[in-house]
Amino acid sequence: MIRSRSLPRALRLAATAALLAASAPLAAQGGAAAGDLPPAKQLIDRYAEAIGGREKVMSHTSMRSVADVEMPAVGLKGTMEMFAARPNRSFVSMNFPGVGASTTGFDGTVGWTVNPMQGPSLMEGAALDYMRETADFYETLSQIPDPARYTSIETVERTEMGGRPCWKVKLVSRSGRESFNCYDTETGLLVGMVRTQETAMGKMETTSVLSDYKEFGGIKVSTKSVTSMMGQQMIIATRTVELDTVQPSQLEPPAEIRTLVQAQAAPRN
C-alpha cells in the first residue's frame, strides 16, 4: 500500500499521464486467427465515427474538464481540473483534502510539476520526452491516434477489457514506445488503454478502463475511468467538459516554475 508521505508523487504521476492507468496486462479471452483480425485502420476509423467524426474533433481548439477522483485503497477523495489547448499545451491540477494540491503542465517546451512534498520542479530527460511525445491536443481530446506519430499500428488479438469484448490494437511510436488500445467489438468505442510512461521514478506500465460515454460539443467522451498504478486503483468520474473556453492564462506555468525556468536560462559565470 502506498504510504501517506509518498502519495503526492503517485498523484503527480497519475496526472501527468493524461490520464491515468493500471499495471495489469490485458487478458486474452480466446484469440482469433491473424486472418480474422480486422485492420487497425478500420477499427480506428470506426471509433472516430462513433464519437462524432474527425471533422468535429478538429473543429475544437481547447478543452477544460472537471472530475471527481477517488483512490479507494488509501481512502482519498478529491477533484481534478484539466486544461488543454492545441497544439500541445496542458495544465492539470489535482486536489486531495489533507494532502494538498498537485499540478502538472506542459507549455509546448517546458514540462513541470508542483506538489506539497517536493515543491516545484522542471521535467527533464525521459519524463520530459514522454510528455512532449504524448501532448498532442487532438489525441488528448479524442484518443484518436494520429498515424503520423506512429511507425506501426496493427490489430493483434480479440480479447476482453472492462467486461467488454474488444479488438486489441498495438501502436509503436516514433520513439519506439509501445501502447495498446482496445476497441469494443460491438460499439466500436474505446474501452481500454495500456500505456508505458516515462516518469521520474522510471518506466511505469499503466492500464485504463473507460466507460460511460457522454456527448460534449458534438463529441462523445468517456466520463468514467477506472485505473490502477503501482497496485493502486484510481477512479475518475468526469462531471463536465467545456470546449473552446480555455484562456491562455489558464495554461501558464505558475510563478515558481517561471522562476526555475529563468534560473535555468540565466548565464553562468
Side-chain angles (χ1 to χ4, degrees):
M1 178 178 292
I2 300 176
R3 298 182 184 277
S4 59
R5 64 175 177 269
S6 64
L7 277 173
R9 178 177 291 182
L11 298 180
R12 179 189 68 195
L13 294 174
T16 302
L19 290 165
L20 312 153
S23 53
L26 292 175
Q29 300 292 319
D36 297 333
L37 299 175
K41 182 179 184 303
Q42 176 182 312
L43 295 173
I44 294 171
D45 288 346
R46 184 186 180 206
Y47 166 66
E49 287 304 310
I51 66 169
R54 283 185 173 85
E55 184 175 348
K56 177 60 69 173
V57 170
M58 298 296 289
S59 71
H60 296 294
T61 60
S62 69
M63 171 184 69
R64 171 183 176 265
S65 65
V66 178
D68 296 313
V69 184
E70 181 178 3
M71 297 179 69
V74 291
L76 283 179
K77 292 184 178 181
T79 58
M80 179 177 73
E81 185 173 24
M82 180 175 73
F83 301 90
R86 67 180 187 183
N88 58 356
R89 303 184 68 189
S90 64
F91 187 103
V92 180
S93 175
M94 301 181 75
N95 189 13
F96 287 80
V99 176
S102 298
T103 63
T104 301
F106 183 67
D107 67 359
T109 302
V110 177
W112 74 86
T113 63
V114 180
N115 66 66
M117 295 295 291
Q118 284 80 34
S121 63
L122 300 178
M123 288 188 178
E124 55 186 19
L128 179 59
D129 290 341
Y130 176 84
M131 177 164 277
R132 186 183 294 115
E133 182 180 20
T134 58
D136 180 76
F137 167 69
Y138 292 110
E139 197 159 332
T140 299
L141 171 62
S142 67
Q143 300 300 330
I144 301 174
D146 178 359
R149 298 178 58 240
Y150 299 91
T151 60
S152 173
I153 303 178
E154 62 175 331
T155 310
V156 294
E157 68 174 335
R158 179 188 172 100
T159 186
E160 183 177 298
M161 197 170 189
R164 297 294 305 171
C166 57
W167 299 110
K168 182 179 176 184
V169 172
K170 177 181 177 180
L171 304 99
V172 181
S173 72
R174 292 192 174 278
S175 69
R177 182 177 55 87
E178 295 184 356
S179 58
F180 298 89
N181 286 356
C182 214
Y183 299 96
D184 194 303
T185 60
E186 296 178 13
T187 67
L189 293 173
L190 183 64
V191 294
M193 304 181 295
V194 178
R195 301 286 185 261
T196 299
Q197 67 185 75
E198 297 283 355
T199 73
M201 297 172 66
K203 289 185 178 181
M204 293 185 129
E205 185 177 86
T206 64
T207 302
S208 302
V209 177
L210 311 177
S211 61
D212 294 1
Y213 278 81
K214 296 179 182 178
E215 186 174 314
F216 300 91
I219 302 173
K220 287 184 179 178
V221 176
S222 168
T223 62
K224 184 177 181 181
S225 173
V226 179
T227 67
S228 57
M229 178 175 56
M230 297 185 297
Q232 299 296 315
Q233 252 194 6
M234 179 178 284
I235 302 170
I236 300 175
T238 300
R239 283 188 259 145
T240 183
V241 176
E242 299 175 2
L243 298 172
D244 309 320
T245 64
V246 175
Q247 300 300 311
S249 60
Q250 294 173 303
L251 293 159
E252 287 296 319
E256 56 263 52
I257 294 297
R258 295 197 298 271
T259 298
L260 289 180
V261 171
Q262 292 169 0
Q264 188 179 69
R268 298 181 180 180
N269 296 327

